[in-house]
Structures are given as structure tokens and as C-alpha cells.
Amino acid sequence: MELNVKVAAILDEVADLLELKEDSFFQVRAYRRAAREIESLTADVKDLYIRGHLAQVPGIGKAIHDKVVEIVRTGELQYLKDLRNEFPAGLLQVMRVPDVGPKTAGRLYKDLKVTNLQYLRLAAEQHRIRRLKGFGERTEENILKGIRFLESGQGRMLLGYAYPRGKALEEHIRSHGFPQVSLGGSLRRMKETIGDIDILVGSDDPQRAMDTFISYPQTEEVLLKGPTKTSIRLVDGVQVDMRVVEPSSYGAALQYFTGSKEHNVTLRSLAIDLGYKINEYGVYRKESGEKVAGETEEGVYSVLGMQWMPSEMREDRGEIDLSRKGRIPRILELSEIRGDLHTHTEASDGVDSMEAMTEAALGKGYEYLAFTDHSRSLKVGNGLSVERLQENIRLVRKIGERYPDIHLMAGTEVEIDEKGGLDYPPEVLEELDIVVAAVHSRFKMSSEEMTERLLTAISNEHVHILAHPTGRIIGEREGYQFDMEAVLQAAKDNDVAMEINSFPERLDLNDTYCAMAMQRGVTLSIDTDAHNVRQLDYMLFGVATARRGWVPKELVLNALSWDDLRKRLDL
DNA sequence: GCCGTTTTCGGCCCGACTGTTTTCAGTCG
């Protein structure tokens, strides 16, 4: 699967470089689309190639097919090397500056010999940019601003960071008398990382909505202001865009600003074929211009003969086709989660007591809660010795008697050693209700060794869940390398659940791997890995990740009732 | 470069805002 990522990256770079060429707009789009398709494949691109199915992937025609084959075979692409020779590598960096696109970069290269960020900054500081025809003082200032933004390293933020901020702003606007307000964009689609926060308001008084937005106490700077669209930057650097439309257009605008871009492009092409035009104000008959939908999202989809679908599904990964056939699957809801099977307490490296965690779980209406503190060899996590573990089990049983409305489970997050062995002997694991196995060490072993390690752990009869299966930390480290197909197969064969860890920096399995697991019928467990009571709220993000992988509740271990879970775990 | 329940050629989503211009190109989402 790492190969899929590599192929997509190469196609993306081809697209980046092609942008600098004249008249290559549609080629750029074709390469980008192919990259997205390959990125979201749930099978290995090499397998597809071997089985002769590569050409059936949408967006892959003859030319790109041959290039993908070249990459699969040789690991390289000559066409990309040729393009790299045509343009200085630094120009790609120049294009990453906000408001600098291919045309501007091309001009700066041609007229000022700007080949990288350093030269761009120099040219701006020496006021050579403002002297170009079509450029001016403001453009020069914006370029300098853009360079500073890039260098501040403010790229995308974690969903877990953006979500509470977006919700707070949404509430601020709603509380000022605007009932029609919603998050949009990647935040509403619950992507694991978010570029900026999008907010949509339906109102007949756009001016007052804008004023309310700008008056938000956390506002640092107004970046852009028009009659229907305003952007601000918050004190922590997060950018928020707000759009205001009339209530009669709210549904169309919500659909449009939720995206994704790819979903919208496909939807709008479809609309054209059906004789309609869609924009953010409504759906219109092409001939008469008559407006036929716009008030609600359901209406927009419905007029195109489509079924509404959850925002998490809108990535143009086949949902439009299913929607036209009325076959959008029923995917997991947060309300269907019955318990949390991976949490920590003060016994190891958590901060709250079992009682506090239990009260919080009761507040969520959970039927069960598992305490899975770290095992003995994880010294940094204050792992439990065998004696402390056994003492902990007794404590769980004792506290459990005081809480008749929830089933407290004694468990462990047990270390998987480098050979795949577990950190406690079998007779100790036997005493536990649930065993969550995890890799926290030796990340850099070869893919073969790591696969063997994971397969050994999964085939251990005491293991119920494989925690954060890839070990990635978003923005910090890649996951370890292993054969995901083999691990999923083993999980299915051994009835072991793969975890979706709800921690914002983990969300692992990610959406694509969730889809892979689902297609293979592998059970998933959505856990918070909470180290305090507040982190039990992270469940929302794990569920969102499952929804992005179209996972139904039937495949989720902790969507089972206590009775069914107990049977499943042989308790 | 891809694609076709009208097409193998001629299309390819659509609009807001900015900056620099007198009518629009470029960028963004």
C-alpha cells in the first residue's frame, strides 16, 4: 500500500509541474484526479496491475496507465524527470505562497528570474515586483506576507484542534439570532486534518451576520471582506471563512461549501448531463433558468434523482453512483456506540480514577467500559507489574459492584515485543476480560519483520484488539511498514478487531484502511485511548473516521450490546 | 489527459474577491 501513496505523490508532482506549462489545464486535472483515485484505492496498485485491472480504475486512461505501470515496475517515472529538468525545483515552493499560482510564478520566473523562495523574497524586498506590468505595491506586500505564512509552518491542523474551535464559532453566531448556521468544508466532512474552518450562514441580513462574525472575541485580523464572504484569522493563527446566503439558498450553499471539490465537480457535471446547472444558490433548469431546488441539501440531491448522503462520504469515491441508485449504505452513528474498550487510569499513565472514568462513561449512556492500563515493560507509561495488574483486576471488580448500570471490564494495553510475544504470561492474560495489544517500540524494523511480529500477536489466542495498528502520529511520524493485507486477513481469521484509535493525532486505522477492513469483513473497535475523562469525548473523531470509511455498525465491536459483546469475548 | 444511455471529438463546475485595471485575469475553494 505504500506503493499507492508513492504513485499518487509522483502523479501529483507531475500535475504541479504541468501547471507551469501553457494550455495544460485539463492535463493537470487528469493527473490530479488519477492521483486521488489511486490514493483512495482499497487494493494495492501493484496487485491491480498484475491482475490486469488497472485500466478499469476511473480517471486512468492509456497515457496515465502506462506511466503508473512504469512506476510500479521501476519505481521511477522518466516523464517526471524530464519535467523537473524543464523548471527549477524551487518554483513549486514559490507556487505554495498564497495568492501565487502558476501564472504568477511563471511571470516572476520569466521576468525576474525568480527560481525559489529566497529569490522571491529578495525581489519583493527590493521592490522589483511592483514594477512589473500588472503587479503593484499590494501584490508585493501580499507576497511577503505569504512567505512569512509559509515559514511560520502553519499548514493543516488536526481535526481535534479545529472541531472545538469551529463549534464555538458556530455557537457564537447562532446565539446572536442566526438559527441557520453550519460548519462546512473539510471540517464538516471530518477529515483528519483541516486547512481552514468554513462556516455557512443562511440569513436575510448578511451585513449583521458579517458583523457578528468579525466581533468574535478571538478575532485577530480581518483578511478579506465582501458582501457575502468574509475571512478572519483567529488569535491562534487559524483562518476562518464565512459565507452568507439567503435562507432560500441555504441547502444549495451547504452542499456546495461542504464539498469535497471532487464531489462537487462530479455532481455538477452530472447536473449538466441532466439539463441542470448547480451553483451555491440553487439548482436551475438550463433551458428556462427556473430554480428547482436550493432550500435544503436533500432537495438539491433529490432533484438530480439522488439520495442524500452523510457529509463524511462526499469524497467522490463512488458515493455519487450509489446515491443515484438509491443505495447509500447505512453507516455507523455516534449514538450507536455502547462502550469504550481502551482507556487508561491513574494506575498507569492516565490522570483520573476508575470512579471518575466510570461516572463519565455513565454520562455518555455507555453499557460497558474497559480499563486497559499499560503493561509492565512500558516504563515511560508507568506500566503495571503482574502484581499491580492483579491488584487492579480486584479493584475493577470491587468498584464494579457499586455501579450496577455499567459493566466495568478489567483489561490491559499489552506491549507486543519485537518477536510478536506479549508482555504478560498467558495465565495472567487469562484473568482479564479484554486484551488490547499494541506496538510502542522498535518501529523501524523491516516490513517483513514487522508483518511477522503483528501476525504472531494477532494469532495469540488472548488478544482481542490490535491497538492503533499502523503507529502513525499525524504530522510527526509515519507508521511502521508492514503488509496491511496480510494483517487484515489474520485479524479476520483470528477474530481480532482492528482499532480505530480516536486520538486526534492518531486516527489509526485511517479512513482508507477502514474501507479496506470493511470490504474484507474485519471487525473494528473504535476506542478513545482516553487518559482522562475529557478525552472520552474523542469517540466522535474515531466514529467520524469509520464513517469516512463507510463502516456500518454491524462491523463495530463496541456497537454491540453488552450481551452480544460478552458472548463474543466468551465472558 | 479522460471520457461517452445523445458523442471516439469536443467538451471538461462555478462563483467570490483582489488588485490592477478601465473590463479582467488570477487565485481560491
Side-chain angles (χ1 to χ4, degrees):
Chain A
M1 289 300 288
E2 308 95 84
L3 185 61
N4 292 19
V5 176
K6 179 175 178 178
V7 171
I10 289 177
L11 295 179
D12 263 325
E13 193 180 341
V14 168
D16 287 341
L17 288 163
L18 279 175
E19 284 201 290
L20 289 160
K21 289 198 163 202
E22 299 281 316
D23 302 324
S24 59
F25 180 78
F26 292 108
Q27 287 167 58
V28 170
R29 263 190 32 184
Y31 278 98
R32 293 242 187 266
R33 166 154 194 225
R36 295 292 78 74
E37 293 286 351
I38 286 177
E39 213 171 47
S40 59
L41 285 176
T42 55
D44 194 276
V45 68
K46 190 171 180 182
D47 288 345
L48 286 183
Y49 161 58
I50 292 168
R51 296 207 309 267
H53 293 167
L54 192 54
Q56 288 152 30
V57 176
I60 301 206
K62 180 158 183 357
I64 293 184
H65 175 271
D66 290 351
K67 291 186 174 69
V68 172
V69 169
E70 185 184 336
I71 300 167
V72 169
R73 281 186 179 158
T74 69
E76 297 177 323
L77 183 63
Q78 187 57 45
Y79 183 55
L80 175 60
K81 290 184 187 173
D82 295 342
L83 282 172
R84 279 177 178 162
N85 287 333
E86 233 175 298
F87 302 100
L91 274 189
L92 295 183
Q93 274 303 111
V94 170
M95 275 202 290
R96 297 220 167 82
V97 176
D99 299 330
V100 177
K103 292 288 192 300
T104 308
R107 273 291 302 284
L108 293 169
Y109 175 48
K110 195 159 71 70
D111 294 349
L112 295 176
K113 304 281 174 283
V114 166
T115 53
N116 59 41
L117 271 187
Q118 287 72 39
Y119 283 128
L120 178 65
R121 183 209 300 276
L122 203 62
E125 284 171 351
Q126 294 171 344
H127 301 318
R128 285 188 280 133
I129 292 175
R130 65 176 65 174
R131 293 202 289 268
L132 294 180
K133 188 171 165 56
F135 290 71
E137 211 171 315
R138 295 296 292 274
T139 305
E140 202 172 73
E141 283 167 14
N142 283 338
I143 285 173
L144 282 172
K145 237 179 169 174
I147 294 173
R148 281 197 294 274
F149 171 79
L150 268 193
E151 289 176 342
S152 71
Q154 282 168 0
R156 299 179 71 82
M157 67 197 124
L158 295 174
L159 172 63
Y161 188 88
Y163 189 82
R165 279 161 184 75
K167 277 293 172 188
L169 238 165
E170 185 187 338
E171 197 41 53
H172 167 78
I173 293 167
R174 182 173 290 118
S175 71
H176 281 73
F178 296 97
Q180 271 190 336
V181 53
S182 170
L183 298 178
S186 54
L187 189 48
R188 183 165 178 241
R189 300 200 310 283
M190 301 294 272
K191 277 190 73 166
E192 61 192 31
T193 61
I194 308 295
D196 52 31
I197 296 174
D198 291 305
I199 294 192
L200 176 72
V201 174
S203 169
D204 288 319
D205 191 353
Q207 192 52 53
R208 195 173 75 80
M210 297 292 187
D211 293 343
T212 302
F213 178 54
I214 289 170
S215 75
Y216 187 58
Q218 304 285 311
T219 303
E220 167 86 5
E221 184 189 358
V222 178
L223 299 171
L224 168 162
K225 199 175 171 201
T228 70
K229 179 179 172 181
T230 294
S231 295
I232 60 173
R233 202 177 58 234
L234 303 179
V235 284
D236 61 358
V238 174
Q239 183 174 331
V240 189
D241 298 337
M242 186 176 83
R243 281 291 293 261
V244 184
V245 297
E246 288 177 5
S248 62
S249 292
Y250 186 68
L254 189 55
Q255 191 289 316
Y256 171 60
F257 291 113
T258 298
S260 65
K261 189 172 174 179
E262 292 76 16
H263 176 93
N264 283 354
V265 167
T266 304
L267 190 72
R268 289 179 177 200
S269 296
L270 176 67
I272 290 172
D273 292 343
L274 296 173
Y276 295 103
K277 184 183 87 155
I278 307 183
N279 58 28
E280 56 262 56
Y281 303 110
V283 184
Y284 304 85
R285 273 191 224 290
K286 204 157 39 179
E287 297 296 319
S288 61
E290 178 200 0
K291 182 170 169 178
V292 290
E295 224 169 311
T296 65
E297 253 190 353
E298 286 83 355
V300 169
Y301 285 110
S302 152
V303 82
L304 300 174
M306 295 172 69
Q307 194 184 354
W308 182 90
M309 73 209 76
S311 53
E312 293 93 333
M313 294 183 70
R314 302 181 197 170
E315 297 288 348
D316 197 20
R317 293 177 182 170
E319 74 281 3
I320 289 182
D321 213 35
L322 286 181
S323 163
R324 295 183 70 185
K325 295 174 181 149
R327 286 179 22 210
I328 290 292
R330 226 186 85 46
I331 60 176
L332 179 74
E333 306 274 349
L334 180 60
S335 59
E336 291 169 337
I337 294 294
R338 310 275 193 109
D340 203 327
L341 297 175
H342 180 176
T343 70
H344 298 268
T345 71
E346 56 192 355
S348 63
D349 61 349
V351 301
D352 285 317
S353 64
M354 279 185 199
E355 288 92 337
M357 296 292 276
T358 303
E359 301 275 354
L362 275 168
K364 295 188 172 301
Y366 285 167
E367 294 176 33
Y368 46 87
L369 173 68
F371 299 111
T372 54
D373 277 302
H374 290 292
S375 66
R376 54 186 174 182
S377 71
L378 194 73
K379 305 295 184 198
V380 293
N382 187 22
L384 275 54
S385 65
V386 170
E387 292 70 31
R388 285 179 64 211
L389 175 64
Q390 287 170 329
E391 177 56 32
N392 217 47
I393 296 173
R394 283 192 288 276
L395 189 60
V396 174
R397 306 291 180 229
K398 200 172 135 202
I399 292 176
E401 289 173 10
R402 286 167 33 207
Y403 293 99
D405 293 338
I406 189 168
H407 297 91
L408 300 185
M409 301 166 71
T412 177
E413 179 179 10
V414 64
E415 292 302 294
I416 299 173
D417 72 24
E418 59 191 284
K419 292 292 180 204
L422 303 184
D423 200 16
Y424 292 125
E427 63 273 18
V428 172
L429 295 173
E430 188 64 39
E431 298 175 45
L432 295 163
D433 302 323
I434 192 151
V435 174
V436 180
V439 167
H440 290 117
S441 62
R442 296 289 316 276
F443 290 3
K444 290 195 190 311
M445 51 176 57
S446 72
S447 175
E448 289 73 21
E449 285 176 306
M450 186 58 86
T451 303
E452 205 44 51
R453 180 183 183 183
L454 294 173
L455 293 182
T456 302
I458 288 170
S459 63
N460 185 307
E461 58 173 339
H462 293 104
V463 171
H464 300 112
I465 297 172
L466 181 65
H468 38 73
T470 79
R472 65 103 176 243
I473 302 287
I474 299 172
E476 277 181 43
R477 69 165 189 243
E478 303 277 319
Y480 29 81
Q481 304 294 315
F482 65 97
D483 182 346
M484 180 62 84
E485 301 264 3
V487 165
L488 289 177
Q489 190 57 49
K492 178 148 180 63
D493 294 344
N494 291 279
D495 208 11
V496 165
M498 297 290 271
E499 183 178 74
I500 302 173
N501 188 292
S502 305
F503 244 68
E505 46 268 76
R506 288 195 184 271
L507 294 181
D508 165 25
L509 297 178
N510 69 11
D511 52 2
T512 311
Y513 286 139
C514 282
M516 275 179 78
M518 179 193 66
Q519 287 173 6
R520 288 158 181 75
V522 176
T523 300
L524 295 159
S525 182
I526 307 177
D527 311 322
T528 62
D529 201 352
H531 285 63
N532 61 46
V533 293
R534 268 175 301 108
Q535 291 176 346
L536 289 169
D537 293 342
Y538 287 166
M539 186 62 78
L540 168 72
F541 306 127
V543 168
T545 302
R547 287 166 64 80
R548 290 180 54 82
W550 305 10
V551 173
K553 88 168 194 190
E554 287 72 22
L555 282 180
V556 178
L557 189 62
N558 53 321
L560 292 177
S561 68
W562 168 249
D563 271 348
D564 289 340
L565 180 71
R566 193 172 52 182
K567 282 178 208 147
R568 184 76 165 261
L569 299 179
D570 249 345
L571 294 178

